[in-house]
Amino acid sequence: MLKQTTTRERVTQLTHEIKSHSEPFRRIVDQVSQVLVGQEKLVHRMLVGLLANGHLLIEGVPGLAKTTAVASLAKAINTGFQRLQFTPDLLPADLVGTQVYRPQDQTFVVQKGPIFSNLILADEINRAPAKVQSALLEAMQERQVTIGGETFPLDNPFLVMATQNPVEQEGTYRLPEAQTDRFMLKVIVDYPNRDEELQILERMSKTAAKFDVQPVTSPAEILAARELVDQIYVDSKVKNYVVDLVMATRNPESYGMNLSEFIQFGGSPRATINLTLAAKANAFLAGRGYVTPADVKEIALDVLRHRVMVTYEAEAEERTSESIVMEILNHVQAP
């Protein structure tokens, strides 16, 4: 009983701290919403990735303000931002940098590439060849870059937001599973509704439409918020719920679902870790010092949709990884 009281008091105190430290993130939303219309989910997921130290894969057709969203976020945080346009002829050196020979000194000097920034927008990532993708993979996973045998740590915070076009596949390279698994979230950006479309028209139909996003927080506040995210309480029932969701993607029969013929590979242990971290970040943004099952369920589809590999049988029956994850979410009982 004493232990429960102590935990309750600690969670209450943490909630008070989070309410004050989450205020800058509400200001970020206000600033970004001055530019974006109807992309609340995308903005929320970007903040989740920022708080949970995880990368985002953003999928949507061209023209849905994916680039604008990331650029606006960087301005609101007052941090470094680099947009990298991925093309089939891109080289790893174009991304991470290279060694340049200086004849006057007869020495090689490291010239760092655009990856050395805080927020990286990897536009149309699936247009880059395998060597470039592997160079980005080291930066995403290890938070470091190797140039000419020398290793350089990347700035902190460091967040990659990669976009890909789901329609046009000519001249693209399929992202390998090892790379997609490095993304904490895969966010699908859809078309705006009619009212949002009208608002976009009224706001942006100018030859020089310009909106100034004011910096409302700093990288130091982001890092301080991450320390609080790490302290957020996760009850054992919620932990078991997270594990059950991921295990159900591997062994659906154990949970009473006949999905084995549709699932080639389920979520890895990284999915369990990322789902927990994302749920903690979700709780932080809600101003709470504890995670609820609703936090897990709200973010689970974005964490799992790119980690469940479907079989040919699933494709023949037009079953997608997203529909399978939704079926698991609806079937596995939340505490």
Side-chain angles (χ1 to χ4, degrees), residues 239 242-247 250 267-278 303-304 307:
K239 291 178 182 177
V242 170
V243 172
D244 283 338
L245 288 175
V246 177
M247 292 298 294
R250 304 177 201 167
S268 68
R270 189 181 281 119
T272 307
I273 296 168
N274 286 347
L275 182 52
T276 306
L277 284 172
V303 174
L304 296 174
R307 292 185 162 94

Side-chain angles (χ1 to χ4, degrees), residues 101-119:
Y101 181 69
R102 297 178 58 180
Q104 62 270 30
D105 302 331
Q106 295 186 350
T107 58
F108 284 93
V109 178
V110 172
Q111 183 174 327
K112 293 182 178 180
I115 196 73
F116 287 90
S117 190
N118 296 106
L119 292 188

Side-chain angles (χ1 to χ4, degrees), residues 278-291:
K280 283 184 174 185
N282 202 25
F284 179 94
L285 292 171
R288 281 184 278 103
Y290 57 93
V291 174

Side-chain angles (χ1 to χ4, degrees), residues 166-207:
V167 179
E168 186 183 356
Q169 296 302 319
E170 185 178 348
T172 62
Y173 299 81
R174 182 173 175 270
L175 288 181
E177 284 77 9
Q179 177 130 359
T180 56
D181 195 44
R182 256 67 174 189
F183 288 100
M184 173 177 278
L185 305 171
K186 180 179 180 181
V187 185
I188 305 298
V189 182
D190 207 350
Y191 288 112
N193 59 38
R194 192 183 188 283
D195 292 338
E196 293 167 346
E197 191 86 21
L198 184 60
Q199 192 176 346
I200 293 170
L201 183 152
E202 293 172 345
R203 184 182 294 187
M204 303 298 293
S205 58
K206 302 171 186 175
T207 56

Side-chain angles (χ1 to χ4, degrees), residues 26-45:
R26 286 188 284 273
R27 294 199 298 267
I28 290 175
V29 174
D30 291 339
Q31 287 295 319
V32 175
S33 62
Q34 293 181 22
V35 179
L36 295 182
V37 176
Q39 297 287 11
E40 291 83 3
K41 181 182 176 182
L42 174 59
V43 176
H44 179 270
R45 297 305 191 260

Side-chain angles (χ1 to χ4, degrees), residues 66-81:
K66 300 184 294 293
T67 304
T68 304
V70 183
S72 301
L73 178 65
K75 287 183 180 179
I77 300 172
N78 194 22
T79 190
F81 169 67

